Amino acid sequence: MIATTPPPAREGSFKARMHQQREEALVHAASRLLGEKGFDAMTVDDVAYAVGIAKASLYKHFPGKDELCAAAMAHIARRMDAFVRSLDDGRPAIERLWALVRRSLELQLDDAMPLLPSRNSSLREPLAACEDYQSALAAVNQRVLGWIAEAQASGHLAAGWPAEVVLCAIHARSADPMLELLQSTGRYAREEIVERVLVTCFDGLKAR
Amino acid sequence: MIATTPPPAREGSFKARMHQQREEALVHAASRLLGEKGFDAMTVDDVAYAVGIAKASLYKHFPGKDELCAAAMAHIARRMDAFVRSLDDGRPAIERLWALVRRSLELQLDDAMPLLPSRNSSLREPLAACEDYQSALAAVNQRVLGWIAEAQASGHLAAGWPAEVVLCAIHARSADPMLELLQSTGRYAREEIVERVLVTCFDGLKAR
DNA sequence: GTCTATACAGAGATAGAC
DNA sequence: GTCTATCTCTGTATAGAC
């Protein structure tokens, strides 16, 4: 709830539920558009139009574009955190890591916004200030770092590498340009692309 | 020479040399700023200021921002083509590929614009129309595809993969988010980052 | 809280003097 | 060809009626 100042209406009342629903719709639309067009190209009008309200109404929910997009990114981070938790059943850590990367790749093929903003995105500053986003991201990282240590201990991942480096490699896959390049050839099906990139990530290009 | 209409002045004359020099300075500044800020965030004023001329003067050289940036990208592509040719001495193909990727990674650490624009960059359309860029890119690709076939034949790269897929994997390294992620930890030196990413690319994360 | 209408700012592009 | 000054368009944000 990054709502502005107004009287928030009784918990669970009709108006409050409508309010919250609209806010969720805004966040959802924003996260989709962020993935499709990027922060700079996406306009506040786009988001308002997608939800079917006027731009001025959007500003009753969020103080500005930055905060709207930060909320959208926090939503994305929470979803990823939930997914990562859902993977934490009994299976071997290396399998969880594959599943995580596969998910990231599939999201990317669906034009979803990646968990991390790109290097010179204007999103970085507002994101640094968004605690919701930061805490969800930290939760994901902590859990995945645990998996990496496990996978190294059980001999499935290169031992001796700092777990942090492996984490970076895995996160980077969620914005790997290789997907787009393969897609633009028009010669590969969706799943084929995902598998190629997965294998490239974990096995490398080298012959063995 | 994407210059506009004016009398182009005698070949090699003082004015013509100044003109060309300024144009090169513009292209150079544009390519640097493209890498640092990206197409959307970079303004024509930035480029003009970097070169020390007024914005209106820039428009005597290039009809618009799109064409200026396309020329900058063509410059980048030609430089990469020259580099790739320079690698074509006697050494094994796999070494040439490593050297190519290493160079791409170093350029990225220097905030240079990558050879390929990112997925949803507004640069893509003007680039598709720029023949200089397209032909230089094609030259690079043709040569590197040859190296890949060689490296596969000599057992250094995974055989059975379409060379095109390997090419995508290699190109993708020039905009790999892993570099930025490693850099942002502050815990790794420049060369260490390059080596980590190189090894991740060719050897993968798997234990062996 | 939602709307229409509008203010304001930034950036691409142009006019016209020199 | 270079400059200063200006135009125009787009996009963020607000005002004010309902």
Side-chain angles (χ1 to χ4, degrees):
Chain A
M1 285 276 277
I2 309 203
T4 37
T5 35
R10 229 174 44 263
E11 180 71 18
S13 77
F14 179 73
K15 283 185 78 170
R17 282 221 308 281
M18 287 306 294
H19 182 88
Q20 192 187 345
Q21 244 181 22
R22 217 177 294 264
E23 210 159 283
E24 281 169 16
L26 284 168
V27 161
H28 197 259
S31 74
R32 187 175 53 81
L33 287 165
L34 272 179
E36 281 174 20
K37 328 217 309 185
F39 179 77
D40 290 320
M42 181 197 89
T43 74
V44 176
D45 267 314
D46 288 337
V47 180
Y49 178 84
V51 173
I53 65 174
K55 174 166 55 176
S57 306
L58 184 152
Y59 279 92
K60 298 289 180 181
H61 291 271
F62 299 92
K65 184 184 181 182
D66 283 1
E67 290 78 9
L68 167 63
C69 291
M73 293 298 293
H75 172 72
I76 289 171
R78 280 191 301 270
R79 279 187 68 86
M80 184 54 80
D81 184 40
F83 176 74
V84 162
R85 282 172 197 275
S86 82
L87 288 180
D88 236 341
D89 44 18
R91 83 186 110 171
I94 185 69
E95 283 183 28
R96 278 172 267 163
L97 290 171
W98 275 72
L100 168 60
V101 175
R102 175 174 280 116
R103 163 74 151 219
S104 295
L105 299 179
E106 281 165 352
L107 283 173
Q108 196 182 342
L109 285 177
D110 290 334
D111 278 343
M113 183 66 188
L115 181 59
L116 288 310
S118 64
R119 185 169 59 79
N120 45 20
S121 168
S122 321
L123 250 184
R124 303 205 54 167
E125 286 191 25
L127 235 43
C130 179
E131 294 173 12
D132 276 10
Y133 172 78
Q134 293 297 336
S135 67
L137 177 60
V140 170
N141 284 345
Q142 195 188 348
R143 193 166 293 256
V144 176
L145 280 171
W147 296 354
I148 292 169
E150 270 186 68
Q152 287 180 320
S154 59
H156 291 110
L157 278 191
W161 291 39
E164 183 183 44
V165 171
V166 180
L167 180 67
C168 289
I170 284 176
H171 271 319
R173 283 332 107 217
S174 60
D176 193 332
M178 186 177 170
L179 286 161
E180 150 68 10
L181 292 175
L182 284 173
Q183 211 170 11
S184 68
T185 68
R187 261 194 285 282
Y188 304 95
R190 188 188 158 86
E191 289 162 19
E192 207 172 343
I193 294 177
V194 171
E195 294 310 313
R196 290 288 189 190
V197 177
L198 266 167
V199 172
T200 303
C201 172
F202 285 98
D203 292 1
L205 298 173
K206 210 194 240 173
R208 66 199 74 250
Chain B
M1 285 276 278
I2 309 204
T4 38
T5 34
R10 231 174 42 264
E11 182 71 17
S13 77
F14 180 73
K15 283 185 79 171
R17 282 219 310 279
M18 287 306 295
H19 182 88
Q20 191 186 345
Q21 242 180 25
R22 217 178 293 265
E23 210 160 281
E24 279 169 16
L26 284 168
V27 161
H28 197 261
S31 74
R32 187 176 53 82
L33 288 165
L34 273 178
E36 279 173 21
K37 329 216 314 183
F39 179 78
D40 289 320
M42 179 198 91
T43 74
V44 175
D45 268 314
D46 289 336
V47 181
Y49 178 83
V51 173
I53 66 174
K55 174 165 57 174
S57 305
L58 184 152
Y59 279 92
K60 299 289 181 182
H61 291 272
F62 298 93
K65 183 183 181 183
D66 283 2
E67 291 77 8
L68 167 62
C69 292
M73 294 298 293
H75 173 71
I76 289 171
R78 279 191 302 268
R79 277 187 70 85
M80 184 55 81
D81 184 40
F83 177 74
V84 161
R85 281 172 197 274
S86 82
L87 288 180
D88 236 342
D89 43 19
R91 81 187 112 172
I94 185 69
E95 283 183 29
R96 278 172 266 162
L97 291 170
W98 274 73
L100 168 60
V101 175
R102 174 173 283 116
R103 162 76 151 218
S104 295
L105 299 179
E106 282 166 352
L107 283 173
Q108 195 181 342
L109 285 178
D110 289 334
D111 278 345
M113 183 67 187
L115 182 59
L116 288 312
S118 67
R119 185 169 59 79
N120 44 21
S121 167
S122 321
L123 251 184
R124 302 203 55 166
E125 287 191 24
L127 234 44
C130 178
E131 294 174 11
D132 276 8
Y133 172 78
Q134 292 298 336
S135 67
L137 177 59
V140 171
N141 284 345
Q142 194 188 347
R143 195 165 290 257
V144 176
L145 281 170
W147 297 353
I148 292 170
E150 270 185 68
Q152 287 179 321
S154 58
H156 290 110
L157 278 191
W161 290 40
E164 182 183 44
V165 171
V166 179
L167 179 67
C168 289
I170 283 177
H171 272 318
R173 281 335 106 214
S174 61
D176 193 331
M178 186 175 171
L179 286 162
E180 150 70 10
L181 293 175
L182 284 174
Q183 210 169 12
S184 68
T185 68
R187 259 193 288 281
Y188 303 95
R190 189 188 155 85
E191 287 161 20
E192 206 171 345
I193 294 177
V194 170
E195 294 310 313
R196 290 287 188 192
V197 177
L198 266 167
V199 171
T200 303
C201 172
F202 286 98
D203 291 2
L205 299 173
K206 211 195 245 175
R208 65 197 73 248

